[in-house]
Every structure is written in C-alpha cells, then in structure tokens.
Amino acid sequence: MSALAYLDHNATSPLRPAAFDAVVEALRAGGNPSSVHGAGRKARAIVDKARREVASLVGASITGTIFTSGGTEANNLALAGAGRRRVLVSAIEHDSVRRAVPQAELLRVDGDGVLDLAALERALAASAEPALVSVMLANNETGVLQPIAEVVRLARAAGALVHCDAVQGVGKVPVDFRSLGVDYLSLSAHKLGGPTGAGALIVRNGAPLQPDRRGGGQESNRRAGTENVPGIAGFGAAAGEAATGLDVAALRDRIEFSLVQIAANAKVYGVKVPRVGNTTCISMPGVPAETQVMALDLAGVCISAGAACSSGKVQRSPVLEAMGVPAAEAACATRISLGWNTQAADIERLIAAWQSLYIRVSQSDISHTDSRARAA
Ligand code: PLP
C-alpha cells in the first residue's frame, strides 16, 4: 500500500512522471526562449512543443494559447483584459474570479449548484452596456458542470463576451475550445498532474485582450516576462497525458455509495446533476470538516474541508452557501477528489477511516448522552 491515499487532486494533482521528466530536461537545457543562439532556440523549441500539446488538449489554436503562471493569472488576465466594465459572474466562481472583479454582478445558482440561466438572461437584458460573462466549466468543490453552451448562446444574443474558468474541467471531461464557443478559457497545469506555477489563457482569435503587465514582448506581446520554461514543459507533458481522460467515476461512485451506507444522513452535494467524475462533496453529519480532515490525515488519507480557503483556515464555503445549504450542515462537508494515480486501495482506505471516525464520534455522542442522562 502506498504511504498516503492522496484524494485531494482538485487542490493539486501529484506530478505525473512524464511531467517530472519534462521539467528536469528543461531545467538541464536552460536557455532563454528569446535568445537567438542555440541554447535559446532549444528553450524556444521546448515552449513551442508544450504550446502544441496544451492547445491540442482543448482543440485551440497555437496562436491563441498564452502561457501564464497558473489559473489565477489566466483568470485575472481575461477578466481585466477583455476591457468590459460590466462583468457578470456566477456566485460559485473561484476566488481568482470573484476577487479579480469585486464589482461584478453575481448570478445565482440553484440548489444543485447549477447556474440559473433565467437569472443570466434577466441580468443581460437589464442593461444595454456590453458585458463580460464569466462562468466556470466545473466547480472546484462539488464538481458540478455548468451549462456553458447555453451561457454562450444567451451572451452572444446580448453582445456579451464569455470567459470560462476550465481549471477543474479540463482533463476530466472532453473540452473543445471552438465548439464550446467562449472567448477566453483558463487552464492550470497542477490540476492535471503538471507542475504548480504554470497555466494558460486560451483566447479566441479576434477577442480583445489588453495585457495586464508591462515588460518584454513575450507571448506575442500579451504576457510580458521570461517564460517559466520548466513549468511550461511539464504542463505540456501533463496535457499530453491528460488527453486520454480520467476514468475514476466508478471509484467516486463507490465512495458515495459506501459513505451513505455508513451514515444514512450523509449528504452528497450536486448528486442529481452532471458532474465531473473525480469529485465528491459530502457531509458527515454532526462532525466538523476540520475534525474529519485531521482524523483522516492521521489515517494517511488526504482530503480537504469543502470550505478550506487558500490561507489554510476553514471558512464558510461560498459555494455551498450559494446552493442554500444551511451553515451547520456546510460546516460538516468535505471534498474528496480523485486523479490520475488513484487506486481502488486508496478508496478502501478512505472508506475504512471515514467509518472508524463516524463510529467513534457516534459512540462518544451516545456516551455523552448516557452521562447526561445519569447526571439528570
Ligand atoms: N480556478 C479554479 C476553479 C480553481 O479550482 C483554482 C485552484 O484551485 C484556480 C482557478 C486557480 O488556479 P492556480 O492554482 O493555478 O492559480
């Protein structure tokens, strides 16, 4: 059995061996892709190859693929670079969208965590000012897929541009940039088994894009700064492997089936609607998410509190809140996310640890009730 059952791929997926090798090879090669000498040309060739691999993963053009430092930068670049003052975003977007445009109008989601298209239609009709609409492909906490085709149809009819944060969708469901029809698509390497600190913004040919930083003319004048060649190389290698998809839905279903058998009132969020196959957001009734994460960690199982924020503190999940989940229930929700190296044994280890915690907590509840009854 491996040392850990790592089931937190939506936070960061472990580096794939092919990505590791590509990073090391690029580190060894060195060179600046802007230099005209041999070492520079070698670095340029590494970046070009990775660009082909990343573009190919999402059916995008080479010229429309801009490397960034990750999903956060790609989101910020699209949201500022589109040049639209009026921005509409779903209420369940990642902080890198929500905080990038704090003035954005929030679009509600329903109880399953799916964007309310009627609310989008009303918002678009409420003003003649051309807008930018930003809706993610798959939610990071629940895995729920969003109706991007309908978003694009409504937005186009209203003359709006569309950005889609596909960081949690790419590699899990097939994505074709052209048929998706959006203007901007954000990707992140480390959610696919590539290294942290690399990502991309895909831009439709002809869509406006103002660079958000001043400097050199890298990335065809759209993203200044010497390219992170090792990160980009690892991203390309991971993208090449991610193209085969992720076949873990049966393992995810096994988790959900088993945990609900252990605790009949455990709740799975977004279970009734289309989701990516690797994510489950589930509550263990009455047990705070931090307690679950720590207990499972002691048992060698890595999961995350549904509400964990980037500072590592646990806060109320805006996603579950937007879905109308009561605060006390949301505080007991965790996210379990599978990935390219997940094995059946990891799932069994999770189920055993979850069951043992639930039994422990239930028994201590009973003994507390007994002692209170005796004291009364
Ligand atoms: N968008 C979503 C949906 C995410 O889940 C994340 C990371 O968790 C990001 C964007 C940010 O990506 P990165 O960590 O590459 O900046």
Side-chain angles (χ1 to χ4, degrees):
M1 205 199 294
S2 58
L4 287 178
Y6 184 84
L7 298 172
D8 200 11
H9 285 254
N10 286 11
T12 285
S13 195
L15 199 61
R16 294 175 189 258
F20 181 93
D21 291 346
V23 170
V24 170
E25 204 181 308
L27 282 168
R28 276 216 187 89
N32 183 326
S34 299
S35 302
V36 292
H37 48 60
R41 290 199 304 278
K42 195 158 181 194
R44 168 63 50 207
I46 291 173
V47 172
D48 287 348
K49 175 170 179 279
R51 201 184 308 277
R52 287 194 297 276
E53 288 166 323
V54 171
S56 154
L57 175 65
V58 293
S61 70
I62 306 287
T63 52
T65 302
I66 305 170
F67 284 121
T68 65
S69 62
T72 298
E73 187 192 333
N75 285 342
N76 277 264
L77 178 57
L79 291 159
R84 296 272 163 106
R85 266 191 327 175
R86 183 165 190 241
V87 183
L88 312 176
V89 309
S90 89
I92 55 165
E93 295 302 310
H94 187 260
D95 274 352
S96 55
V97 168
R98 300 255 321 247
R99 291 192 181 173
V101 272
Q103 80 287 4
E105 296 167 45
L106 285 191
L107 302 166
R108 68 177 294 279
V109 296
D110 65 19
D112 293 315
V114 180
L115 176 72
D116 180 342
L117 289 166
L120 170 61
E121 197 166 11
R122 278 195 303 277
L124 286 166
S127 164
E129 186 179 344
L132 168 68
V133 179
S134 180
V135 178
M136 67 203 326
L137 182 59
N139 183 261
N140 42 304
E141 287 184 33
T142 61
V144 169
L145 288 159
Q146 300 302 314
I148 302 299
E150 286 87 344
V151 169
V152 170
R153 188 176 55 76
L154 293 172
R156 289 280 172 259
L161 292 165
V162 182
H163 165 249
C164 177
D165 174 353
V167 162
Q168 295 289 355
V170 166
K172 300 171 187 168
V173 289
V175 175
D176 183 70
F177 180 69
R178 289 188 191 90
S179 37
L180 204 57
V182 301
D183 299 284
Y184 313 95
L185 190 80
S186 299
L187 314 179
S188 173
H190 71 111
K191 311 292 182 175
L192 299 170
T196 49
L201 180 68
I202 312 291
V203 183
R204 180 180 59 76
N205 186 16
L209 189 75
Q210 276 301 317
D212 63 356
R213 61 187 65 193
R214 307 280 164 266
Q218 291 89 352
E219 298 297 283
S220 307
N221 290 312
R222 293 172 299 184
R223 198 275 184 180
T226 302
E227 298 86 341
N228 167 12
V229 181
I232 289 170
F235 187 10
E241 293 207 340
T244 55
L246 193 57
D247 185 16
V248 292
L251 293 176
R252 190 270 316 268
D253 292 347
R254 159 120 183 95
I255 296 175
E256 293 180 353
F257 176 81
S258 307
L259 301 196
V260 172
Q261 284 220 317
I262 294 165
N265 52 349
K267 212 150 165 194
V268 181
Y269 301 97
V271 71
K272 292 193 294 231
V273 292
R275 292 178 292 162
V276 288
N278 84 313
T279 306
T280 185
C281 181
I282 187 163
S283 61
M284 183 190 283
V287 185
E290 309 90 291
T291 307
Q292 296 181 51
V293 170
M294 285 187 290
L296 265 66
D297 188 35
L298 287 173
V301 181
C302 302
I303 64 165
S304 84
C309 71
S310 48
S311 63
K313 298 202 188 79
V314 173
Q315 58 176 15
R316 186 165 180 203
S317 156
V319 174
L320 296 182
E321 188 176 1
M323 290 165 65
V325 176
E329 190 185 307
C332 299
T334 59
R335 175 185 71 187
I336 301 162
S337 51
L338 286 53
W340 64 270
N341 63 353
T342 304
Q343 304 286 323
D346 300 326
I347 304 307
E348 298 316 316
R349 191 157 165 188
L350 162 82
I351 295 169
W354 205 88
Q355 178 165 35
S356 126
L357 172 65
Y358 187 65
I359 291 172
R360 268 199 325 272
V361 172
S362 311
Q363 283 173 348
S364 79
D365 276 356
I366 292 165
S367 67
H368 283 143
T369 314
D370 284 354
S371 57
R372 276 198 299 273
R374 276 196 300 277

